Amino acid sequence: MTDTATGFTPEAVEAYFTRASGDYVFARWGRPIAPVVFGVTDDSMAVIKGAIETAIVIAGAEIAETDPELGSNLMMFFFSDWKELLDVPNMGDMIPDLENRVATLIDRNAHQYRAFRFDDDGAIRACFTFVRMGGAMDEVPADVIALSQATQALLLWSDTVFTQDSPLAQTESGAVIRPDVANLLRASYDPVLPSAARDASHALRLYARLIAQ
């Protein structure tokens, strides 16, 4: 059954959170999000933080200046070479087995990587986002990169869902979060729903909220 207003089916909703392993794994933030950005100019900083805040507001998540436990819990790093991570103080504390992870990212010629941390209930407590610039990435506006990365950091999406398609859409006024993705973000942050779920029946509860929007 497809809801004609949203274009969603229960199976399509489930696919957004079904990993390549076949496991259904959903998680949203369980605390206010306190973002910080590294590796950009002052001019870009305001643009990027503005895009991050836009995504958080669209989702209906909470935003804060600081996190009482970590200071900042959504950290976004921009750099030109994955090897730079090896020189960042305490980076190994955030990314276990850092040297092997960097080697893998270099082998894959990756441009992005996210590492999540979760609380005891399975909700997101922190996300470390890394963006390697260079090549075609240098032609992408900073706010577009930030909006895309923030959208992908707001939920533990399937590891396959955005490998081919961007979570953004282009409009006459610029890039925006795709309407289907924005609707799913809002449904996911319904306070009635749990912050984490491992049973695919959770997708039916999301679907019910989508068709009610």
Side-chain angles (χ1 to χ4, degrees), residues 5-130:
T6 66
F8 277 111
T9 65
E11 295 77 15
V13 174
E14 183 178 335
Y16 274 93
F17 306 103
T18 301
R19 306 194 69 76
S21 63
D23 296 325
Y24 183 89
V25 185
F26 170 90
R28 71 185 185 203
W29 285 78
R31 61 183 64 196
I33 303 170
V36 66
V37 180
F38 300 96
V40 299
T41 64
D42 291 342
D43 290 342
S44 296
M45 179 75 72
V47 172
I48 292 171
K49 293 196 74 172
I52 295 171
E53 291 170 4
T54 295
I56 294 172
V57 169
I58 287 173
E62 295 182 67
I63 192 167
E65 288 293 327
T66 59
D67 176 77
E69 181 182 351
L70 301 171
S72 297
N73 52 27
L74 174 56
M75 302 182 187
M76 192 173 292
F77 298 83
F78 290 81
F79 50 89
S80 59
D81 191 317
W82 288 114
K83 292 180 180 178
E84 292 178 39
L85 294 185
L86 301 176
D87 298 324
V88 178
N90 304 316
M91 184 60 70
D93 295 335
M94 291 188 282
I95 309 297
D97 198 19
L98 180 62
E99 290 192 11
N100 285 334
R101 173 57 57 186
V102 166
T104 298
L105 292 168
I106 292 173
D107 288 343
R108 293 178 179 176
N109 195 30
H111 280 282
Q112 59 179 313
Y113 175 67
R114 274 173 301 284
F116 290 92
R117 298 292 178 268
F118 305 92
D119 63 23
D120 292 341
D121 294 323
I124 299 171
R125 63 184 285 267
C127 177
F128 310 112
T129 295
F130 304 93

Side-chain angles (χ1 to χ4, degrees), residues 5-6 8 58 178-188 210 213:
T6 66
F8 277 111
I58 287 173
R178 276 174 20 205
D180 58 326
V181 174
N183 288 339
L184 193 49
L185 280 169
R186 283 189 284 266
S188 296
L210 285 165
Q213 286 183 1

Side-chain angles (χ1 to χ4, degrees), residues 144-190:
V144 174
I145 295 175
L147 188 61
S148 175
Q149 293 301 326
T151 301
Q152 294 179 77
L154 282 169
L155 295 172
L156 185 64
W157 302 94
S158 164
D159 52 348
T160 63
V161 68
F162 294 128
T163 55
Q164 301 298 323
D165 298 319
S166 168
L168 307 186
Q170 288 292 332
T171 68
E172 291 183 359
S173 57
V176 298
I177 299 176
R178 276 174 20 205
D180 58 326
V181 174
N183 288 339
L184 193 49
L185 280 169
R186 283 189 284 266
S188 296
Y189 276 87
D190 186 319

